[in-house]
Amino acid sequence: MAKRDSVATRRRIVEQTAGLLNATGYMRTSMTEIMKVTGLQKGGIYHHFASREDLVMETFEYLVSLVRERVARLLKSEAGAKDKLLGLIRIFKELPFDATLKGGCPILNLAFESEEDQPRLRAATNEAIKLITGAFERVIVAGVSCGELAPCNARKQAACFVAALEGGVMLTTRFNEPVYLTAVAESLEAQVRDGFGLTQATSLAN
Amino acid sequence: MAKRDSVATRRRIVEQTAGLLNATGYMRTSMTEIMKVTGLQKGGIYHHFASREDLVMETFEYLVSLVRERVARLLKSEAGAKDKLLGLIRIFKELPFDATLKGGCPILNLAFESEEDQPRLRAATNEAIKLITGAFERVIVAGVSCGELAPCNARKQAACFVAALEGGVMLTTRFNEPVYLTAVAESLEAQVRDGFGLTQATSLAN
Amino acid sequence: MAKRDSVATRRRIVEQTAGLLNATGYMRTSMTEIMKVTGLQKGGIYHHFASREDLVMETFEYLVSLVRERVARLLKSEAGAKDKLLGLIRIFKELPFDATLKGGCPILNLAFESEEDQPRLRAATNEAIKLITGAFERVIVAGVSCGELAPCNARKQAACFVAALEGGVMLTTRFNEPVYLTAVAESLEAQVRDGFGLTQATSLAN
Amino acid sequence: MAKRDSVATRRRIVEQTAGLLNATGYMRTSMTEIMKVTGLQKGGIYHHFASREDLVMETFEYLVSLVRERVARLLKSEAGAKDKLLGLIRIFKELPFDATLKGGCPILNLAFESEEDQPRLRAATNEAIKLITGAFERVIVAGVSCGELAPCNARKQAACFVAALEGGVMLTTRFNEPVYLTAVAESLEAQVRDGFGLTQATSLAN
DNA sequence: ACCGACGGGACCTCCCGTTGTT
DNA sequence: AACAACGGGAGGTCCCGTCGGT
């Protein structure tokens, strides 16, 4: 059971902890609970991670990687800007139904919990949210360039998408009410199909 | 005089604790910090509140009352549905700049932190979010009735507004990035002025 | 039991902890043992001291104050340099038989245990040992001035006295063998009575 | 080859651990640090030693053997009692400058750290200190017999030498102040050269 | 012979809530 | 009404020792 399993165990710890932390809270969840879901004792866990923060950090990055991977795959599979945006929206819509991500968006969750006295976690959340916002922004810029979308402030439009979707995920998750995410997604989808009002110019301008 | 002082002190505790709890976290904030901002010792606080949860509960309801009051005043001061919606949006836009509410929306904050093992707090957040959503919904229903807004699923439309605005507040607060809330608000304002696409029917239908 | 007893309790903790720490070890002794001798629970102790190190620090200074007090009283009660030196030696001879100091010299004990990663404790021991050495040195300087003692390097002579006596205390304490301290004390007493060889000049010269 | 390697490795562990334990503390030093200096993992060390205490025990005896060897060599190389005593003193003077013994006298170090719940270590230190004291005592007895030294209580005189020298080593090591050991050594050397006051009888009598 | 994954326990710290007291 | 001494418990960390494997 020795050496060879080390990598696997470490990954197993991260994977099993991921869902727990994202649902119960990165800071609130005690090592005891982590011990329970991993089936390991404190000694076993601390053999793989120097500190609780290290484990949280790695778990967070694992969760972010799940999202990043989906985004990357989506951007490759779809060609048009509209389809890409609709796909990104779909990723958010599916979030609460994913087993490990049913706690909501890990980025917002950790951002909510991490304080200024945990600079590593804060920095990680900042970077992660930029990843998402950046993806939206780049798609929008490209869509505008090729005339598929109406001209607009891409950064603002991206921020609007992310904020609305994150809000939808958050409310749906926390209040167990699917309507929030559904409503937001539908609204955004309509805007996308409309090309941000390509003909009527109702998009975010300045 | 005893009773009068008691009531005043109790209220003072709530008011002084409100901003702290909403910014630092309802569950994360320790009694020590609460003691610091109130200037009272443990005994003094527990004399007025049977438990920490009671204080949290009352503080939360105080914060919600601040929001409710603004909403009520706004609904009274404005006559048209569009103006009322724009006013509600403005309330959210001002949230992060309010001294006591700079921690973000208290409802979402507490909803985020409260677990299933705290049914009272959960119930309070559920009720509070319905208050907000209900306000939007009623305005929309009225607006549609009088023809000021395009026909739509009012509940969904309200959910969409609240989710987007809450998301904007959340991201702006947690990432210290005003663009999220600004972008969301502008987008919603545009939709409102458009009367949810009164002429082109781009609003949330089913 | 409230406010008034605070000072007394704090002092009681220090006094009861003093003997324990000096005998069992400043670093080795666990909070659990300190709880036992003080009769308080962790909460009670941490109410009075912010950290274990703080308690150790204060306990150490209490023990040093006991020694300092004896030295001060001795220096006042005796007039001649020889009598003062004999008195100082006697203080060391009595150390292992003192209830609270039976663990040996607190200065050397803590100096032994404190590492470089505890600068406060290190600094305290440095200061404390200088207190002892300084007392010897000043007496010797005065004794030489008035011709009661043979001319010598006072600092060296003082260091010799302290080292020998500390060694005697240490060995007697750790090996439970009174002869070490007795032998050292007798030898030093003989040198003192001899006035450091006032007539034959066998004292430490350069 | 297996057995040979085993013995060599075992000795290597002891030698590499010796300096570390004597400087950092026999009890305080963690297995992690021991692993670091030996370059072995836990399993490797525990393969050679049944317990941490066994390793400490053996390391201690190795360090004592270093001292014993020096003493034996000195006693052989010098003929006269005075020269032997001066040589013994010199051994102590050199202690803090020896690479492996720069932590001070291993006997006193371990005696300080070992508690009553470690009878083996206690016994080992008792035996070791008797080795040193016995060496002094035998030299003194011989010196008195042949008239090189003034008649005296040899056991006491030996105890005095050892206590003073150990004290000097201790203070010099712990306070990083060479004067203590230097002063003690000079004083004792003077006494030796004087033959313990062969002519004036100032030596330890009863 | 040696590695290293893991169990299990002890330690310090901090926190909430009670209670005697002023 | 308010203070503050104290109990009791839980959390994160680290450490020693075992044992399956190479």
Side-chain angles (χ1 to χ4, degrees):
Chain A
M1 144 209 325
K3 197 195 259 176
R4 213 192 27 189
D5 286 347
S6 187
V7 175
T9 302
R10 190 186 172 96
R11 187 175 47 207
R12 189 171 58 80
I13 294 173
V14 169
E15 289 175 4
Q16 289 175 326
T17 306
L20 176 67
L21 285 191
N22 198 46
T24 315
Y26 292 85
M27 297 316 175
R28 285 196 293 269
T29 309
S30 70
M31 286 303 296
T32 307
E33 291 177 74
I34 296 177
M35 286 162 57
K36 253 171 235 163
V37 298
T38 57
L40 289 177
Q41 298 288 4
K42 307 203 168 184
I45 295 175
Y46 272 88
H47 174 70
H48 293 283
F49 300 93
S51 69
R52 191 186 174 287
E53 188 181 329
D54 272 22
L55 173 55
V56 169
M57 191 73 178
E58 197 150 328
T59 299
F60 173 69
E61 285 178 351
Y62 166 71
L63 286 167
V64 171
S65 78
L66 292 185
V67 178
R68 175 166 39 215
E69 193 188 349
R70 291 176 198 200
V71 170
R73 212 178 317 139
L74 181 274
L75 294 181
K76 267 181 199 155
S77 70
E78 299 295 341
K82 287 186 178 180
D83 287 338
K84 286 183 178 174
L85 288 176
L86 293 174
L88 289 172
I89 293 170
R90 201 180 329 118
I91 290 177
F92 276 87
K93 280 203 291 188
E94 290 165 355
L95 266 188
F97 304 104
D98 183 300
T100 37
L101 290 170
K102 71 179 171 223
C105 173
I107 303 171
L108 195 47
N109 285 355
L110 182 55
F112 187 98
E113 285 195 88
S114 68
E115 310 263 325
E116 278 135 14
D117 57 339
Q118 289 146 336
R120 285 174 61 205
L121 301 181
R122 277 305 262 248
T125 59
N126 280 326
E127 209 166 319
I129 198 70
K130 276 178 195 156
L131 178 84
I132 304 293
T133 314
F136 274 93
E137 190 174 343
R138 276 189 297 275
V139 171
I140 293 169
V141 165
V144 171
S145 295
C146 72
E148 198 177 347
L149 302 173
C152 64
N153 181 330
R155 181 165 170 262
K156 239 182 193 174
Q157 193 65 260
C160 179
F161 269 69
V162 173
L165 287 167
E166 290 281 9
V169 170
M170 197 78 168
L171 291 181
T172 286
T173 306
R174 298 297 154 181
F175 296 105
N176 205 28
E177 267 287 8
V179 69
Y180 293 108
L181 182 51
T182 307
V184 157
E186 280 187 23
S187 171
L188 296 179
E189 284 164 352
Q191 291 179 41
V192 169
R193 293 207 190 84
D194 189 37
F196 299 162
L198 232 194
T199 50
Q200 304 90 13
T202 59
S203 59
L204 293 177
N206 68 319
Chain B
M1 174 219 290
K3 206 174 176 190
R4 273 271 296 285
D5 279 355
S6 183
V7 173
T9 303
R10 189 186 174 96
R11 189 176 46 208
R12 189 172 58 79
I13 293 173
V14 168
E15 290 174 4
Q16 290 175 323
T17 308
L20 176 66
L21 285 191
N22 198 47
T24 315
Y26 293 85
M27 298 316 176
R28 289 196 290 265
T29 309
S30 73
M31 286 302 297
T32 307
E33 291 176 74
I34 296 177
M35 287 161 57
K36 233 171 266 171
V37 297
T38 58
L40 290 176
Q41 299 297 342
K42 210 162 283 188
I45 295 172
Y46 276 94
H47 176 71
H48 293 282
F49 300 91
S51 67
R52 194 185 175 287
E53 187 180 326
D54 272 22
L55 173 56
V56 168
M57 190 75 179
E58 199 149 328
T59 299
F60 173 67
E61 284 177 351
Y62 166 72
L63 285 166
V64 171
S65 79
L66 292 184
V67 177
R68 178 166 40 214
E69 193 188 347
R70 292 178 198 199
V71 170
R73 212 179 315 138
L74 181 275
L75 293 181
K76 267 180 199 156
S77 70
E78 300 294 341
K82 287 187 178 180
D83 286 338
K84 286 183 178 176
L85 288 176
L86 292 174
L88 289 172
I89 293 170
R90 201 181 328 117
I91 290 177
F92 276 87
K93 280 204 292 187
E94 289 166 356
L95 268 187
F97 305 104
D98 184 301
T100 36
L101 291 170
K102 71 177 170 226
C105 173
I107 304 170
L108 196 47
N109 284 354
L110 182 56
F112 189 98
E113 283 195 271
S114 66
E115 307 269 324
E116 279 136 12
D117 59 339
Q118 290 148 333
R120 287 174 60 206
L121 301 181
R122 280 302 264 246
T125 58
N126 279 326
E127 211 167 316
I129 198 70
K130 276 178 195 155
L131 178 85
I132 304 295
T133 316
F136 273 93
E137 190 174 343
R138 279 189 297 276
V139 171
I140 293 169
V141 167
V144 171
S145 295
C146 72
E148 197 177 349
L149 301 172
C152 65
N153 182 330
R155 181 162 170 264
K156 240 183 193 172
Q157 193 65 261
C160 179
F161 270 69
V162 174
L165 288 167
E166 290 282 9
V169 170
M170 196 78 169
L171 290 181
T172 286
T173 306
R174 299 297 155 180
F175 295 105
N176 202 30
E177 187 62 86
V179 70
Y180 293 108
L181 182 51
T182 306
V184 158
E186 280 186 25
S187 171
L188 295 179
E189 284 164 352
Q191 292 179 40
V192 170
R193 293 208 188 84
D194 188 39
F196 299 161
L198 233 196
T199 49
Q200 306 90 12
T202 59
S203 61
L204 293 177
N206 67 319
Chain C
M1 153 212 315
K3 197 195 261 175
R4 215 193 26 190
D5 286 348
S6 185
V7 176
T9 302
R10 189 186 172 96
R11 187 176 46 207
R12 190 170 58 78
I13 293 174
V14 169
E15 289 174 6
Q16 290 175 325
T17 306
L20 177 66
L21 286 191
N22 199 45
T24 314
Y26 291 85
M27 296 316 174
R28 286 195 293 266
T29 309
S30 72
M31 286 302 297
T32 307
E33 291 177 74
I34 295 178
M35 286 163 57
K36 253 173 236 164
V37 298
T38 57
L40 289 177
Q41 299 286 5
K42 308 204 165 182
I45 294 174
Y46 272 88
H47 174 69
H48 293 282
F49 299 92
S51 68
R52 192 185 175 286
E53 187 181 330
D54 273 20
L55 174 55
V56 168
M57 191 73 179
E58 197 149 329
T59 298
F60 173 67
E61 284 177 351
Y62 166 72
L63 286 166
V64 170
S65 78
L66 291 185
V67 177
R68 177 167 38 216
E69 192 188 348
R70 292 176 197 201
V71 170
R73 211 179 317 138
L74 180 276
L75 294 181
K76 267 181 199 155
S77 71
E78 300 294 342
K82 287 186 177 179
D83 286 338
K84 286 183 177 175
L85 288 177
L86 293 175
L88 289 172
I89 292 171
R90 201 181 329 118
I91 290 178
F92 276 87
K93 280 203 292 187
E94 289 165 355
L95 267 188
F97 304 104
D98 183 301
T100 37
L101 291 169
K102 71 178 170 223
C105 173
I107 305 171
L108 195 47
N109 284 355
L110 182 55
F112 188 97
E113 284 195 90
S114 66
E115 309 264 327
E116 278 135 14
D117 58 341
Q118 289 146 336
R120 286 175 60 205
L121 302 181
R122 278 304 263 247
T125 58
N126 279 327
E127 210 166 318
I129 198 70
K130 276 179 195 155
L131 178 85
I132 304 293
T133 314
F136 273 93
E137 188 174 345
R138 277 189 297 274
V139 171
I140 293 169
V141 166
V144 171
S145 295
C146 72
E148 198 178 346
L149 301 173
C152 64
N153 181 330
R155 183 163 169 262
K156 239 182 194 173
Q157 193 65 261
C160 179
F161 269 69
V162 173
L165 287 167
E166 289 282 8
V169 170
M170 198 78 168
L171 291 181
T172 285
T173 305
R174 298 296 153 181
F175 296 105
N176 205 27
E177 267 286 10
V179 69
Y180 293 108
L181 182 51
T182 307
V184 157
E186 279 186 24
S187 171
L188 296 179
E189 284 164 353
Q191 292 179 42
V192 169
R193 293 209 189 83
D194 189 38
F196 299 162
L198 232 197
T199 49
Q200 306 89 11
T202 60
S203 61
L204 294 176
N206 70 315
Chain D
M1 175 221 292
K3 206 172 176 192
R4 271 271 296 285
D5 278 355
S6 183
V7 173
T9 304
R10 188 184 174 98
R11 188 175 49 207
R12 189 173 58 80
I13 293 173
V14 168
E15 289 174 5
Q16 289 175 323
T17 308
L20 176 66
L21 286 190
N22 198 47
T24 315
Y26 292 86
M27 298 315 175
R28 288 196 290 265
T29 308
S30 72
M31 285 302 297
T32 307
E33 292 175 72
I34 296 178
M35 286 160 57
K36 232 171 268 170
V37 298
T38 58
L40 289 177
Q41 298 298 342
K42 211 161 280 187
I45 295 173
Y46 276 93
H47 176 71
H48 293 282
F49 300 92
S51 68
R52 194 185 175 287
E53 187 180 327
D54 273 22
L55 172 56
V56 168
M57 190 74 179
E58 198 150 329
T59 299
F60 172 68
E61 284 177 350
Y62 166 71
L63 286 166
V64 171
S65 77
L66 292 185
V67 178
R68 177 168 37 216
E69 192 188 348
R70 292 178 199 200
V71 171
R73 212 179 316 138
L74 181 275
L75 293 181
K76 267 182 200 156
S77 71
E78 299 293 342
K82 287 187 178 181
D83 286 339
K84 285 182 177 175
L85 288 176
L86 293 175
L88 289 173
I89 293 171
R90 202 181 327 119
I91 290 177
F92 276 87
K93 281 203 292 187
E94 289 166 355
L95 267 188
F97 303 104
D98 182 301
T100 38
L101 291 170
K102 71 178 172 224
C105 173
I107 303 171
L108 196 47
N109 285 354
L110 182 56
F112 188 99
E113 283 196 272
S114 66
E115 307 270 322
E116 279 135 12
D117 58 339
Q118 289 148 333
R120 287 173 61 206
L121 301 181
R122 279 303 262 245
T125 58
N126 278 325
E127 211 166 316
I129 198 71
K130 275 178 195 155
L131 177 85
I132 304 293
T133 316
F136 273 93
E137 190 175 344
R138 277 189 298 275
V139 170
I140 293 168
V141 166
V144 172
S145 295
C146 73
E148 197 177 349
L149 302 173
C152 64
N153 182 330
R155 181 164 170 264
K156 240 183 194 173
Q157 194 63 263
C160 179
F161 269 70
V162 173
L165 287 167
E166 290 281 9
V169 169
M170 196 78 168
L171 291 180
T172 285
T173 305
R174 299 297 156 179
F175 295 104
N176 203 28
E177 187 63 86
V179 70
Y180 292 108
L181 182 51
T182 306
V184 157
E186 281 186 23
S187 172
L188 295 179
E189 285 163 352
Q191 292 179 41
V192 169
R193 292 207 190 84
D194 188 37
F196 300 160
L198 232 195
T199 50
Q200 304 91 11
T202 58
S203 61
L204 294 177
N206 68 320

